Amino acid sequence: MDEMEEELKCPVCGSFFREPIILPCSHNICLACARNILVQTPDAESPRSSRASGSGVSDYDYLDLDKMSLYSEADSGYGSYGGFVSAPTTPCQKSPNGVRVFPPAAPQPAPQQHLLPQPGSLPPIPRNSCITCPQCHRSLILDERGLRGFAKNRVLEGVVDRYQQSKAAALKCQLCEKSPKEATVMCEQCDVFYCDPCRLRCHPPRGPLAKHRLVPPAQGRISRRASPRKTSTCTEHELENLSMYCVQCKMPVCYQCLEEGKHGTHEVKALGAMWKLHKGQLSQALNGLSDRATEAKEFLIQLRNMVQHIQPVAVVLQENGVEFEACLVAQCDALIDALNRRKAQLLARVNKEHEHKLKVVRDQISHCTVKLRQTTGLMEYCLEVIKENDPSGFLQISDALIRRVHVTEGQWGKGTLTPRMNSDFDLTLDSGPLLQTIHQLDFVQMKVPAAPMLQLEECCTQNNSATLSWKQPPLTTIAVEGYILELDDGNMGPFREVYVGTETICTVDGLHFNSTYKSRVKAFNGSGVGQYSKTLIMQTSETGLPPCDIQSIGTVAWFTFDPASAHQDIILSNDNLTVSCNSYDDRVVMGNSAFSRGVHYWEMTVDRYDNHPDPAFGLARGDVLKDVMLGKDDKAWAMYVDNNRSWFMHNNSHTNRTDGGIGKGATIGILLDFTRGILIFLINDEQQGPVAFEALEGVYYPAISLNRNVQITLHTGLPIPDFYTAGEADPTGSVC
């Protein structure tokens, strides 16, 4: 309950709220304090279109702070009316809570005696009065009702009353003028606590008072809590009870408000239903905030343990490094005066590092403790508000409380509950440098790196490629020079290195389709190789046509052209599915997926065909030449075709001339079957010539070469052609 106390104090006077009112910005202030901080604005600048009222935030006319600043932009401690040179400045004070507030304006001399307020009565609110919220500094001009236009926060008043009663050692008499005595009775009808002298003087047991019921103070406190509160009345129509809730204005209203038309077109709901709904929303919001508070408590325990671990250097040496100290002193003594001076510098550095670690952790403890205290205070205050049985009073503040709970929960965001400093001292003295390099003497790390952590959310497979990502564990300070990534053969075989370098992400191409691979990674530095990460199991995409069942057709891989491996004259579009060229010479582009097993089929359509060029279609190794026709070197297997005939070509050897060419709209199909090691070409769904190539083994990329007279579009993920699933292609081109 102690943490909640700051929620119950006025930002102006710093004391517990007395008769709190709700400002349009949802902040609270004592009624008396609100009167004290009123400021009268010049008549020439007072807006005439709207005035403050209790009907909603939209009815308030906030001052234009560019024209009429009520507080200093430079935080100088003074506020003045911009645009009025002769306007007197108003000194700005700070409340006990540290919030900037404004004192009451100096009283102006009254021109007529009969206009002075009567003794004992409250002075009237000056015309064109303005009030500035002491917390958010939003300003507004009051209407003719003055402060009566603001709703009273009865829920907050009830919470303050219960809190003060729980803290009071004994109930005091409410009528004693000086040094209130301990109350002996409480009148249930008068709702007043009396001591014996005040009871005899102010509540004699005769006349109408004889029928009043006097009870002990403790019982009176219980009955006061249990007694129902008075029905709330509308601030616009003081004789009407609040019975409905305007959803658009987010405020309780009465029936007269609806009849007058101000809320007639707005959506309204029953007060009790909205009371229960907002209580549920506040309770639900508190659940998330409660989890953050629990995490914060555990985090504080972790930080305090770190303080115990980060001990002074002398204690660390005594408990964990007596041998280290002896070695350090021996080495420094051996290096004569220069080494002794360097030794002093190194010890000073250790002390500085120690102080830095302690300062960072203690600062974080202090920051987290303050935030946790504020969070706990808000939670306790909200729980007390939920206990209230006053629907309209609750709904007046529920929206603001729900927003505060969500904002406070957001402040416990990612990284807030993470230590900012590691408690370990990863320092080891290296005695290898020679005497002439004594000025370079420094601590070096002699520990091998920790096992990397695989980032599962970034690891994935696509077709027959696998992408793996990893990082060093948090808070580690051991230097890493590089990483070693290992994969098995996809058949439960031994691991093999597939990458060595400094990057923390790697994509491995050319894997087998429909295979399960195990992967792991380790880090290394000058001290050695660290432990392996956890093993990650990854599944590559399925492929079509299992080797033993030609009728069972699977899903072939999807791929596109690869801009990274394409010749610089190649032009890709349509999400890398359409290719053209800006050169008259043939240029090569490959697909972004490699094949090594299974059966695959893809097609290419001719979008543009000018001047009878001869594009080539087929397969290529990863290191194929990119500036000659596909098939000119020994790294490609292709069919090149013009408008009349085609040839197969590998290593610049032309074979199997076949009649039948291509034109605009033609479709070229490529069928690769690793189960038989063959490559077949089709033109417009008909096999073009015999089996083009046989005994294909290894890893191949789909490829094409073309010049500026051709534009081709790629189509992948296609089923195997019917002629191939119904029989087997023979070397002559027929189907058996």
Side-chain angles (χ1 to χ4, degrees):
M1 295 287 286
D2 293 338
E3 289 85 353
M4 184 179 63
E5 186 168 312
E6 292 302 320
E7 295 281 341
L8 308 181
K9 291 184 177 181
C10 175
V12 176
C13 63
S15 302
F16 287 107
F17 282 105
R18 295 185 299 274
E19 297 183 275
I21 59 175
I22 307 174
L23 299 180
C25 54
S26 301
H27 292 130
N28 300 284
I29 188 175
C30 296
L31 180 61
C33 295
R35 180 175 291 274
N36 289 338
I37 65 174
L38 287 177
V39 178
Q40 187 172 4
T41 63
D43 292 340
E45 286 294 317
S46 60
R48 305 180 183 272
S49 58
S50 61
R51 294 286 181 177
S53 69
S55 60
V57 177
S58 60
D59 292 335
Y60 284 88
D61 185 9
Y62 288 100
L63 294 180
D64 184 351
L65 296 182
D66 290 334
K67 297 181 178 179
M68 194 170 291
S69 176
L70 295 182
Y71 62 96
S72 173
E73 294 286 348
D75 197 22
S76 62
Y78 291 88
S80 63
Y81 297 111
F84 293 89
V85 178
S86 60
T89 59
T90 304
C92 184
Q93 301 175 347
K94 287 191 176 180
S95 73
N97 288 349
V99 179
R100 189 174 300 281
V101 298
F102 295 88
Q108 301 294 330
Q112 297 180 0
Q113 183 65 27
H114 69 276
L115 296 179
L116 292 174
Q118 298 299 321
S121 65
L122 292 174
I125 300 298
R127 185 170 176 268
N128 299 328
S129 293
C130 169
I131 187 172
T132 300
C133 175
Q135 291 185 282
C136 66
H137 303 299
R138 297 182 70 177
S139 302
L140 56 110
I141 296 177
L142 276 61
D143 62 7
E144 63 277 358
R145 294 176 302 161
L147 296 177
R148 291 184 296 104
F150 297 113
K152 294 183 179 180
N153 194 339
R154 297 184 306 278
V155 172
L156 175 57
E157 194 172 11
V159 174
V160 171
D161 182 55
R162 290 200 302 270
Y163 180 80
Q164 289 180 313
Q165 290 177 4
S166 66
K167 293 295 182 180
L171 294 171
K172 301 295 183 179
C173 176
Q174 294 178 275
L175 298 181
C176 291
E177 294 182 359
K178 295 181 179 180
S179 302
K181 299 179 182 179
E182 185 175 344
T184 57
V185 295
M186 182 253 190
C187 177
E188 289 187 337
Q189 285 71 31
C190 300
D191 194 21
V192 175
F193 289 94
Y194 299 95
C195 63
D196 287 336
C198 292
R199 177 179 59 83
L200 294 175
R201 184 177 70 256
C202 303
H203 200 289
R206 60 179 179 271
L209 298 178
K211 297 180 180 181
H212 288 196
R213 183 167 179 259
L214 302 178
V215 297
Q219 182 179 347
R221 173 190 289 177
I222 297 175
S223 62
R224 172 181 284 185
R225 291 183 182 178
S227 62
R229 293 187 176 271
K230 298 179 181 179
T231 304
S232 303
T233 58
C234 179
T235 56
E236 292 281 350
H237 315 95
E238 297 181 354
L239 299 180
E240 296 290 336
N241 295 333
L242 296 172
S243 56
M244 303 295 289
Y245 182 81
C246 178
V247 178
Q248 180 174 339
C249 299
K250 296 184 178 180
M251 61 176 297
V253 296
C254 66
Y255 280 105
Q256 192 170 346
C257 291
L258 301 179
E259 292 176 356
E260 290 182 352
K262 188 169 187 178
H263 301 273
T265 59
H266 296 175
E267 179 184 2
V268 295
K269 293 186 178 180
L271 198 65
M274 293 302 295
W275 177 39
K276 294 181 180 179
L277 175 63
H278 281 229
K279 272 196 173 184
Q281 291 177 351
L282 181 57
S283 299
Q284 184 176 5
L286 280 176
N287 291 335
L289 186 59
S290 177
D291 294 339
R292 296 296 176 271
T294 301
E295 294 175 3
K297 292 177 182 178
E298 296 175 353
F299 181 58
L300 281 174
I301 294 175
Q302 179 183 356
L303 291 178
R304 291 190 176 99
N305 291 336
M306 289 180 64
V307 172
Q308 298 298 325
H309 189 73
I310 306 175
Q311 304 175 31
V313 175
V315 177
V316 173
L317 294 175
Q318 180 180 357
E319 295 181 356
N320 303 322
V322 175
E323 185 175 334
F324 170 81
E325 181 182 16
C327 181
L328 175 64
V329 173
Q331 292 175 3
C332 291
D333 290 343
L335 295 177
I336 320 174
D337 296 337
L339 188 56
N340 283 328
R341 288 191 299 268
R342 187 60 176 170
K343 178 186 67 174
Q345 296 173 1
L346 294 175
L347 290 175
R349 175 181 166 186
V350 173
N351 285 325
K352 183 178 179 181
E353 178 73 10
H354 157 257
E355 294 298 332
H356 173 68
K357 287 178 180 288
L358 283 181
K359 182 180 183 302
V360 171
V361 176
R362 285 170 176 165
D363 288 347
Q364 193 170 11
I365 289 176
S366 176
H367 175 74
C368 191
T369 301
V370 172
K371 185 178 292 185
L372 178 61
R373 183 183 299 112
Q374 294 172 349
T375 299
T376 306
L378 178 59
M379 291 171 56
E380 293 178 353
Y381 171 55
C382 291
L383 292 175
E384 291 298 324
V385 169
I386 291 177
K387 295 178 183 178
E388 286 296 317
N389 55 4
D390 181 358
S392 61
F394 177 84
L395 290 173
Q396 287 175 332
I397 65 174
S398 58
D399 282 308
L401 284 179
I402 292 172
R403 289 194 302 269
R404 285 188 62 192
V405 168
H406 284 304
V407 170
T408 304
E409 181 183 0
Q411 292 175 353
W412 295 101
K414 184 178 180 182
T416 307
L417 302 182
T418 302
R420 299 174 183 170
M421 181 61 63
N422 184 13
S423 60
D424 295 331
F425 288 90
D426 298 318
L427 301 173
T428 303
L429 189 65
D430 180 16
S431 59
L434 299 176
L435 186 59
Q436 59 268 28
T437 59
I438 193 66
H439 63 280
Q440 297 177 348
L441 185 64
D442 200 351
F443 288 104
V444 297
Q445 297 170 347
M446 296 299 292
K447 296 182 179 179
V448 297
M453 298 173 56
L454 289 169
Q455 297 184 273
L456 301 182
E457 67 276 5
E458 298 184 12
C459 297
C460 62
T461 60
Q462 182 179 12
N463 293 331
N464 62 338
S465 299
T467 299
L468 295 103
S469 177
W470 59 90
K471 64 179 181 180
Q472 281 298 102
L475 300 181
T476 182
T477 59
I478 303 176
V480 174
E481 296 180 6
Y483 300 93
I484 301 174
L485 175 63
E486 298 181 356
L487 268 70
D488 68 353
D489 60 357
N491 194 28
M492 305 302 291
F495 282 94
R496 65 187 190 279
E497 293 183 2
V498 296
Y499 172 77
V500 178
T502 59
E503 300 294 333
T504 57
I505 186 170
C506 178
T507 298
V508 183
D509 298 320
L511 303 177
H512 297 305
F513 280 91
N514 196 23
S515 300
T516 300
Y517 285 88
K518 293 188 297 182
S519 59
R520 62 188 185 185
V521 63
K522 58 185 177 181
F524 63 87
N525 61 13
S527 300
V529 179
Q531 297 293 321
Y532 283 106
S533 66
K534 294 182 179 180
T535 300
L536 177 64
I537 299 177
M538 307 181 74
Q539 175 75 35
T540 55
S541 302
E542 293 183 355
T543 185
L545 240 66
C548 299
D549 186 2
I550 200 168
Q551 299 296 331
S552 178
I553 306 300
T555 303
V556 296
W558 297 77
F559 62 91
T560 65
F561 290 119
D562 182 17
S565 63
H567 190 277
Q568 60 183 4
D569 293 335
I570 291 293
I571 302 173
L572 296 177
S573 59
N574 188 25
D575 294 329
N576 296 331
L577 292 175
T578 299
V579 58
S580 58
C581 181
N582 60 12
S583 173
Y584 287 105
D585 298 321
D586 290 300
R587 300 294 186 243
V588 173
V589 59
M590 299 189 299
N592 62 358
S593 292
F595 304 132
S596 58
R597 65 168 63 173
V599 180
H600 309 274
Y601 178 72
W602 63 96
E603 291 180 348
M604 300 186 188
T605 56
V606 180
D607 302 330
R608 178 171 52 82
Y609 188 81
D610 304 326
N611 303 323
H612 311 300
D614 46 1
F617 309 86
L619 304 174
R621 301 288 192 188
D623 54 350
V624 66
L625 295 177
K626 306 293 176 48
D627 55 356
V628 296
M629 178 183 289
L630 193 68
K632 286 284 187 179
D633 62 358
D634 62 349
K635 307 296 184 181
W637 294 255
M639 175 190 74
Y640 69 94
V641 56
D642 58 19
N643 61 321
N644 291 319
R645 62 191 69 83
S646 65
W647 291 264
F648 301 147
M649 182 167 62
H650 169 65
N651 199 14
N652 204 25
S653 174
H654 307 253
T655 60
N656 299 102
R657 169 178 167 173
T658 304
D659 292 334
I662 62 173
K664 180 179 180 180
T667 300
I668 298 88
I670 300 95
L671 194 153
L672 173 63
D673 185 356
F674 279 104
T675 64
R676 294 170 175 80
I678 61 175
L679 179 64
I680 298 174
F681 293 97
L682 295 85
I683 295 181
N684 296 329
D685 298 327
E686 296 291 337
Q687 183 174 338
Q688 182 75 358
V691 172
F693 301 100
E694 297 179 314
L696 296 176
E697 294 181 350
V699 178
Y700 300 89
Y701 290 86
I704 179 178
S705 67
L706 72 169
N707 62 20
R708 65 183 306 158
N709 294 315
V710 186
Q711 178 175 300
I712 302 294
T713 295
L714 173 67
H715 305 276
T716 63
L718 304 176
I720 306 302
D722 293 338
F723 85 92
Y724 198 72
T725 58
E728 181 178 351
D730 68 0
T732 64
S734 61
V735 178
C736 60

